[in-house]
Amino acid sequence: MEYNTPQIVTFDKIGSSQLGYITIAETQKNVPFEIQRVYWTYYTPHDVTRGGHAHKELQQMIFAVSGTIIFNTEDENGKKETFTLDHPTKGLYIPKLVWRDIQFSHNAVLLCLASEIYNEEDYFRDYEEFKKTTDKK
Ligand code: TYD
């Protein structure tokens, strides 16, 4: 698998409907970077759009461990896509330089595995600045 574009990765699950399930994410096995940081978001109102940024270097693997999360993405070549996370086995891999807007169902919990520690300098928070930088490439 080539990890240079945004894509859904389906993770294995172990268990049964009687006992419940477990899904595992491991560096280099099914996550293509060293995990340096983990964060989660919750209680996002349905009518709020989060995201609105791109990263200069950060790679992420993102899960909806509960609920449904919709990502509208635009990559560095201007390619726009929509990805829906609606099952705990689905991860969305996001490489660097992908603009994203995110919407949540009321019960959604987003879990993010990130390749770098938090650094505000790594963000494009201005869409025009993101477009100007990627257009030059
Ligand atoms: P932001 O990345 O803008 O969140 P979202 O894309 O979900 O809207 O981050 C929201 C706030 O949290 C912002 O003030 C920065 C802060 N933050 C940290 O301090 N550390 C982190 O690892 C992250 C992801 C955010």
Side-chain angles (χ1 to χ4, degrees), residues 62 69-73 81-83 85 92 94 101-102 110:
I62 299 176
I69 305 176
I70 297 170
F71 284 77
N72 286 301
T73 62
E81 289 174 283
T82 300
F83 297 97
L85 295 178
L92 175 60
I94 306 187
D101 291 307
I102 314 166
L110 176 155

Side-chain angles (χ1 to χ4, degrees), residues 27 31 35 61 64-65 78 87 96 102 106 109 111 115 118 122-123 125-126:
T27 293
V31 177
I35 299 163
M61 188 70 82
V65 290
H87 195 270
K96 65 181 180 178
I102 314 166
H106 70 283
V109 178
L111 177 72
S115 66
Y118 176 71
D122 188 62
Y123 281 73
R125 291 199 182 271
D126 180 64

Side-chain angles (χ1 to χ4, degrees), residues 8-90:
I8 298 279
V9 180
T10 303
F11 286 67
D12 292 338
K13 64 176 197 261
I14 299 172
S16 63
S17 56
Q18 290 83 10
L19 296 173
Y21 296 96
I22 179 171
T23 290
I24 301 113
E26 271 180 289
T27 293
Q28 300 310 345
K29 261 198 184 163
N30 47 16
V31 177
F33 52 79
E34 296 285 327
I35 299 163
Q36 301 257 27
R37 176 166 53 112
V38 177
Y39 63 84
W40 47 101
T41 75
Y42 41 91
Y43 304 160
T44 308
H46 183 60
D47 56 354
V48 168
T49 301
R50 296 190 63 138
H53 64 253
H55 288 283
K56 296 173 186 171
E57 292 298 333
L58 190 74
Q59 300 174 69
Q60 294 160 296
M61 188 70 82
I62 299 176
F63 301 88
V65 290
S66 166
T68 298
I69 305 176
I70 297 170
F71 284 77
N72 286 301
T73 62
E74 180 174 347
D75 74 10
E76 60 183 304
N77 303 311
K79 183 177 178 191
K80 293 183 181 178
E81 289 174 283
T82 300
F83 297 97
T84 301
L85 295 178
D86 56 5
H87 195 270
T89 55
K90 283 191 193 173

